[in-house]
Amino acid sequence: MREKIIYKSTELFLNLGFKSVTMDDIANELGISKKTIYVHFPNKTKLVEAVTFHLFDTICTGIDSICENAPNPIEELYSIKMFVMKHLKNEKTSPQYQLKKYYPLIHAELKMKQFEKMHESVEKSLEHGVETGVFRDTIDVDFISRMYFTGMTGIKDNMFFPPESYQMEYLMESYLEYHLRAIVTEKGFKILNQFIKQNQS
């Protein structure tokens, strides 16, 4: 039952937002009593925490699988972007923003976990790109990896990129292209251009 509660809560939180979904809403959707939820989660904060880190673990597992199977580091980054967008329902309720506003402690812990995971996987991707000649061998891998994380989290800031003006899909696509164009070699540039032409969203 715990897994069912987490699964349904994830769906509701991502579609409607952390703030607007109540424990009653979740109980009604599952056809159970609110007491049953409280057996597994003493309060809504604990449920939000469980949902947040369960989703994080699911995304990490998917990213690891993409990294193992991607034909090159350029397509790898695009595949990760598409995978994350799918799992976060295109972020239409701005889950990161809501988490930061209403559950700051959970948000802070998640951000550190995201940084550690992304820093590690982007560093490996950059090193692989340098080895295979698609990224310049003069790049500072640690710096670029940190900049990538900073940019990816920065575009989710509603103050700078209001959702009524910028769709998340557009922001992620544009930032990814911006990032890659700065570090590709001639060989990487050809792969990037070809990939963009084939996958215009």
Side-chain angles (χ1 to χ4, degrees):
M1 180 50 74
R2 181 183 163 87
E3 284 74 26
K4 279 186 180 175
I5 295 168
I6 289 175
Y7 180 81
K8 181 51 74 178
S9 302
T10 302
E11 190 183 301
L12 291 170
F13 287 147
L14 289 178
N15 282 321
L16 303 169
F18 287 108
K19 175 72 172 167
S20 56
V21 176
T22 65
M23 297 296 249
D24 282 314
D25 294 331
I26 296 162
N28 290 339
E29 281 286 326
L30 285 164
I32 58 175
S33 74
K34 203 159 54 166
K35 281 182 186 171
T36 307
I37 298 177
Y38 286 122
V39 167
H40 299 278
F41 304 98
N43 52 53
K44 187 179 170 185
T45 301
K46 284 292 178 191
L47 177 58
V48 168
E49 185 178 51
V51 164
T52 299
F53 294 114
H54 177 263
L55 188 58
F56 173 76
D57 289 340
T58 302
I59 289 173
C60 285
T61 303
I63 287 172
D64 289 342
S65 174
I66 289 166
C67 293
E68 282 170 26
N69 299 300
N72 59 66
I74 292 171
E75 291 188 45
E76 179 185 299
L77 282 175
Y78 274 99
S79 297
I80 288 171
K81 181 214 75 160
M82 288 184 275
F83 174 77
V84 170
M85 290 293 287
K86 182 175 159 238
H87 270 272
L88 295 180
K89 314 283 186 191
N90 288 336
E91 306 207 24
K92 59 180 170 229
T93 59
S94 304
Q96 298 263 6
Y97 173 76
Q98 287 209 354
L99 204 59
K100 185 178 181 180
K101 188 173 180 183
Y102 301 113
Y103 301 94
L105 293 176
I106 298 172
H107 177 265
E109 190 182 344
L110 174 67
K111 193 166 182 180
M112 186 45 70
K113 280 177 172 282
Q114 285 175 327
F115 170 71
E116 287 164 359
K117 177 65 184 173
M118 196 185 274
H119 186 50
E120 180 195 4
S121 70
V122 172
E123 269 199 327
K124 281 183 188 166
S125 174
L126 291 169
E127 284 162 1
H128 183 218
V130 170
E131 284 162 18
T132 53
V134 296
F135 297 151
R136 289 183 286 108
D137 60 8
T138 53
I139 62 171
D140 181 334
V141 168
D142 180 64
F143 172 74
I144 299 282
S145 174
R146 289 170 187 271
M147 281 298 295
Y148 185 70
F149 178 79
T150 307
M152 269 297 180
T153 47
I155 60 172
K156 292 174 183 173
D157 191 320
N158 289 4
M159 188 169 79
F160 301 119
F161 298 100
E164 57 273 17
S165 303
Y166 293 96
Q167 283 194 322
M168 188 49 65
E169 174 76 14
Y170 170 79
L171 287 171
M172 287 184 84
E173 191 93 13
S174 301
Y175 180 69
L176 194 47
E177 186 178 341
Y178 169 81
H179 161 76
L180 287 168
R181 283 187 185 277
I183 61 173
V184 289
T185 57
E186 194 63 41
K187 177 184 174 182
F189 185 67
K190 283 175 185 167
I191 294 170
L192 176 62
N193 268 356
Q194 189 179 3
F195 187 78
I196 289 170
K197 276 179 193 168
Q198 286 170 351
N199 297 274
Q200 289 290 349
S201 32

